[in-house]
Amino acid sequence: MLPASLVQATAVELLALYRSRSASPVEALRAVLAHVERHGAPLNAFALLDEERALEAARASEARWARGEPVGRLDGVPVSVKDLLLTRGWPTRRGSRTVDAAGPWTEDAPAVARLREHGAVLFGKTTTSEFGLKGLGDSPLTGITRNAWDPRRTPGGSSAGAVTAVAAGFGPLAVGTDGGGSIRVPSAFSGVVGCKPTFGRVPAHPASVVGVPPHVGPIARTVGDAALLLSVLSGPDDRDPFRAPPPREDALYLGAVVAVDASDAPDASNTLDASDALNARFLRRVRVGVSATLGYVDLPGETRARFDAAVALLQRLGAEVDEVAPPFADPGGVLRTLFAARAAHTVRELGPEQRALLDPAVQSAAAQGEALSAVAYLEAERQRAELALTMAAFHRRFDLLVTPTSAGAAPLIDGGALPPSFAAPFSLTRQPAISVPMGLTSAGLPLGLQIVGRHFEEALVLRAALALERESAPLQAPPLRAS
């Protein structure tokens, strides 16, 4: 069944349309760009759009499909990239007025290099809070990014533009980063799928060496698309000294996306539907610990009701579900210490005039980091390692941990406080975690469910997410107003 429009199509559906000659990469890109032109201004999701280069890439993809010679797994699919990732030919200003747009910009980050190798059509860079150091969707450089479901509300941060773009239909895929929830929490606020893979699964460059390192990961409207994008991003790159060995060829497809080899794009005729029976049985073998509070989060009644419904669905699908006592205390203090150290390290070379241009929240975090002693920093690292050991023990009993992603929906931009997050512990432990939609509040705002797995078991996390997705009512597209 074809999507109602090209801007509603998933990446897997677009590839099937290209294969059948029912649509072309140029048509898909033009549809996305027209949609951005009509609806993009109120949302402010992009730090940069490059129609000319994107059309050049789409035409090259169209010619490959016409010859029957697509390259890689994303040939012709429009993809946006968070403006923290180096992108050849485009400035990477990281949400900061302290970064000179002049460059030179001659290098691709590993994730961007993999996208090009797989034929993706890069059309823009999405907004981020300054240096990715804040959980709200604004920066001194680009201003306020707004939630696609309600422009009075924040999409969260720091992957603000990426989740807003995917939710609004500005391309089916986006690449974000997550150091303390920066993919998962905004994805929950925006009703999309956002995955933080295990640290090292997706190579990064320049390497992050201080504080909480950001994990590069996929944002999509479906779990299958997220799995497809993650399989591309996970390709090897020797510029990252902390990279993990690449996964087995099929480890991230999980039966959700079928590809014979790297030169054969997925065929939607044997994706998802071909794995229905597998996923219907899959959760019967999985031990799931569920926690509505982690012992330190006060969960409001409406979010609790949606969470309880998701847990009930897990049980109906055959999972062995147990409510679990929290395995640890609130790790927020540890996360704040490590983030402060990262902020201080990030701005260490800026002079007084440049520092005056920084977001006040970044200035404050950097000052806190500069006041840290080496002993205090190392104590936070010790507590991080202790938390990882606690979760390793937890996973000897349970395959997965399931929690809400956030204690509530997206707050108002003016005066709204972010609800408590369930994301931070699993940034500290560096485990894979995904946020998937968990329905809407009575006010029509999305909520998210978080699924956490053992290190390097993205396959298990994604398969569980897919099983839930296949049995849940899909969210409709958010209401948008014209620019």
Side-chain angles (χ1 to χ4, degrees):
M1 182 176 179
L2 296 180
S5 73
L6 289 177
V7 298
Q8 295 174 353
T10 67
V12 171
E13 288 169 339
L14 284 177
L15 292 165
L17 291 172
Y18 300 161
R19 178 176 287 101
S20 66
R21 307 295 192 268
S22 299
S24 77
V26 172
E27 291 170 334
L29 177 64
R30 288 192 184 281
V32 167
L33 293 174
H35 195 54
V36 175
E37 175 69 23
R38 180 169 175 76
H39 297 288
L43 300 179
N44 189 33
F46 292 97
L48 176 150
L49 285 168
D50 192 337
E51 179 176 346
E52 182 178 350
R53 291 190 189 186
L55 281 169
E56 181 181 343
R59 292 185 187 105
S61 173
E62 186 174 72
R64 291 192 293 270
W65 279 103
R67 297 193 303 269
E69 299 174 353
V71 298
R73 296 173 179 166
L74 291 174
D75 203 343
V77 176
V79 183
S80 59
V81 176
K82 184 177 180 179
D83 194 31
L84 292 183
L85 300 174
L86 292 173
T87 310
R88 187 180 69 249
W90 290 345
T92 300
R93 298 193 64 187
R94 306 172 74 192
S96 182
R97 292 182 293 170
T98 68
V99 178
D100 187 354
W105 306 103
T106 59
E107 188 175 21
D108 282 333
V112 178
R114 301 295 84 73
L115 289 170
R116 293 193 202 275
E117 289 168 4
H118 283 264
V121 174
L122 305 181
F123 68 97
K125 302 200 79 173
T126 55
T127 59
T128 174
S129 60
E130 190 166 33
F131 301 118
L133 288 170
K134 192 168 74 170
L136 293 171
D138 62 87
S139 80
L141 180 67
T142 56
I144 297 171
T145 296
R146 299 178 182 273
N147 193 300
W149 289 84
D150 182 350
R152 298 172 302 169
R153 297 177 183 272
T154 182
S158 60
S159 300
V163 299
T164 295
V166 171
F170 304 157
L173 300 175
V175 181
T177 64
D178 187 320
S182 290
I183 285 175
R184 289 161 291 156
V185 174
S187 292
F189 288 167
S190 299
V192 299
V193 176
C195 179
K196 178 187 77 69
T198 310
F199 181 64
R201 171 61 77 202
V202 177
H205 172 77
S208 182
V209 295
V210 174
V212 186
H215 303 211
V216 180
I219 297 165
R221 290 193 291 273
T222 67
V223 176
D225 269 13
L228 173 60
L229 180 52
L230 182 56
S231 76
V232 168
L233 301 179
S234 299
D237 195 299
D238 61 10
R239 291 175 292 171
D240 185 351
F242 307 118
R243 67 192 181 279
R248 297 192 315 275
E249 181 68 19
D250 63 347
L252 296 174
Y253 277 129
L254 323 170
V257 178
V258 176
V260 176
D261 56 45
S263 64
D264 183 36
D267 180 354
S269 66
N270 60 2
T271 61
L272 294 184
D273 289 340
S275 62
D276 280 351
L278 172 65
N279 282 289
R281 299 191 305 269
F282 173 71
L283 286 178
R284 295 177 193 169
R285 303 192 299 270
V286 178
R287 301 165 298 167
V288 179
V290 301
S291 179
T293 69
L294 287 182
Y296 61 88
V297 180
D298 183 16
L299 195 65
E302 190 169 28
T303 307
R304 180 63 191 253
R306 298 293 184 277
F307 180 69
D308 288 346
V311 171
L313 178 55
L314 285 169
Q315 292 175 311
R316 289 198 300 274
L317 290 171
E320 299 175 16
V321 174
D322 287 299
E323 285 202 35
V324 294
F328 42 76
D330 182 357
V334 178
L335 187 72
R336 286 189 291 273
T337 295
L338 295 175
F339 255 98
R342 179 177 147 199
H345 189 263
T346 298
V347 306
R348 67 194 182 281
E349 296 181 356
L350 299 182
E353 290 186 2
Q354 286 184 303
R355 288 197 177 212
L357 300 175
L358 293 171
D359 186 317
V362 174
Q363 291 179 1
S364 176
Q368 293 171 35
E370 288 162 351
L372 281 174
S373 69
V375 171
Y377 175 78
L378 292 172
E379 172 59 19
E381 289 284 13
R382 185 197 66 79
Q383 291 180 55
R384 181 225 293 274
E386 192 173 88
L387 180 60
L389 287 175
T390 299
M391 284 306 298
F394 172 88
H395 281 296
R396 294 182 194 120
R397 179 182 175 194
F398 294 105
D399 300 307
L400 298 170
L401 172 64
V402 172
T403 74
T405 309
S406 172
L412 293 168
I413 290 169
D414 296 326
L418 285 170
S421 164
F422 291 75
F426 315 108
S427 296
L428 293 169
T429 63
R430 305 184 181 184
Q431 295 173 250
I434 194 170
S435 180
V436 294
M438 192 174 70
L440 302 177
T441 68
S442 57
L445 298 172
L447 295 168
L449 182 79
Q450 179 176 231
I451 305 171
V452 183
R454 300 181 186 93
H455 287 91
F456 300 109
E457 291 194 1
E458 287 83 6
L460 182 63
V461 170
L462 287 162
R463 286 275 289 276
L466 180 62
L468 282 171
E469 180 182 79
R470 295 293 290 165
E471 298 298 323
S472 303
L475 295 184
Q476 300 300 310
L480 301 179
R481 58 188 177 92
S483 301

